[in-house]
Amino acid sequence: MGGAMALTLAALAYPGLLGLSQVSGAPDRVIDDTPWGPLTEQDRDFVVKVRAAGLWEYPVGRIGLRKGGSPPVLTASRHLIDGHAALDTTCRRIAPMLHITLPNAASPQQQGFVDRLEGESGRRFDTDFANILRMTHGSVFNTVAKIRSTTRNSLVRALADQANDTVLDHIAVMEKTGLVDFDRTLFQQTTPPKLPASDLTPPPPPPGRPEVVLTPPPTATSTPVDIDGIAGGGRSGGGARGGS
């Protein structure tokens, strides 16, 4: 699967012009003291990564609905759209509350990945679709668990709960396609290549440009986090879960 299978969790990062290009080496460093608990560098990066993931996986889900050649691939495509629309709603809601600037477009690497699948068809499309998405979701699953177990911010904790449910669901539907090459996928998942930052950085949102919204499907089953319920708790630190 060549370059497409080289896409890793690193491609979900959003450094660069939004202040994430210089990693301090202390991801647990508190960068903001919010009413919902302290916000660390890794908390901020996680919110950005979840948003960035949706900016390429949601379009891939729509491509899958057009090009998928089997019922399991079509089902997986619907799950991508449904899950990332709900996650995106949560990200866009909590980002201004936590003073986090979100990307509005995919990185060059991510967009190239979308373009690749757009150019494929038939069995090749189905196979690349299942393997690449199984690999990327498998990679991010560990990050979600780390954030959920360490964050002291209740908004980030609630997003991690929702992301955990969503990522696990997407792993499962990719595996149900019967197309996942586990040897290759797990190797790529555990041996990430080093990619240049320019390939991994989404462009900053242009001033005055409307925020991109990932619209939920009419038959949506995933729901965003109940932010109002959490916000009312202030500094209590409680993390109400959002359905997925």
Side-chain angles (χ1 to χ4, degrees), residues 4-217:
M5 283 298 291
L7 184 65
T8 66
L9 177 61
L12 302 182
Y14 187 48
L17 298 178
L18 297 188
L20 305 186
S21 59
Q22 300 299 321
V23 178
S24 70
D28 58 348
R29 181 177 70 89
V30 175
I31 59 175
D32 196 1
D33 187 18
T34 81
W36 305 280
L39 184 78
T40 65
E41 288 191 4
Q42 65 184 1
D43 291 337
R44 173 196 58 190
D45 294 358
F46 176 69
V47 177
V48 169
K49 288 173 183 177
V50 174
R51 164 70 169 176
L55 290 174
W56 73 271
E57 292 178 27
Y58 182 95
V60 165
R62 298 183 67 175
I63 294 171
L65 288 183
R66 291 190 286 109
K67 296 194 171 193
S70 71
V73 170
L74 294 175
T75 295
S77 299
R78 286 191 288 269
H79 279 237
L80 285 177
I81 295 170
D82 185 85
H84 280 290
L87 282 172
D88 189 68
T89 298
T90 301
C91 285
R92 290 184 294 101
R93 180 77 189 278
I94 70 174
M97 298 170 71
L98 299 175
H99 307 112
I100 296 173
T101 302
L102 296 177
N104 212 28
S107 70
Q109 171 74 15
Q110 293 167 335
Q111 187 57 50
F113 177 69
V114 175
D115 293 343
R116 175 187 174 117
L117 286 177
E118 183 68 81
E120 295 182 346
S121 61
R123 178 78 174 183
R124 181 179 180 185
F125 171 84
D126 288 355
T127 300
D128 281 359
F129 172 92
N131 281 273
I132 296 167
L133 287 161
R134 170 57 179 84
M135 184 269 292
T136 54
H137 283 87
S139 297
V140 77
F141 199 39
N142 295 326
T143 297
V144 175
K146 180 179 180 180
I147 293 296
R148 180 59 182 85
S149 65
T150 61
T151 185
R152 291 178 287 163
N153 188 283
S154 59
L155 295 181
V156 175
R157 187 158 54 246
L159 176 63
D161 279 338
Q162 184 187 359
N164 181 76
D165 292 343
T166 302
V167 171
L168 182 57
D169 172 69
H170 292 176
I171 287 174
V173 294
M174 294 307 157
E175 293 174 349
K176 288 178 181 178
T177 65
L179 298 171
V180 174
D181 180 339
F182 283 94
D183 288 340
R184 179 187 290 270
T185 297
L186 296 179
F187 175 79
Q188 292 288 344
Q189 181 178 314
T190 57
T191 314
K194 293 182 178 180
L195 301 174
S198 59
D199 287 349
L200 306 178
T201 307
R209 192 75 61 84
E211 184 177 53
V212 170
V213 175
L214 305 184
T215 306

Side-chain angles (χ1 to χ4, degrees), residues 229-240:
I230 298 173
R235 289 186 177 276
S236 64

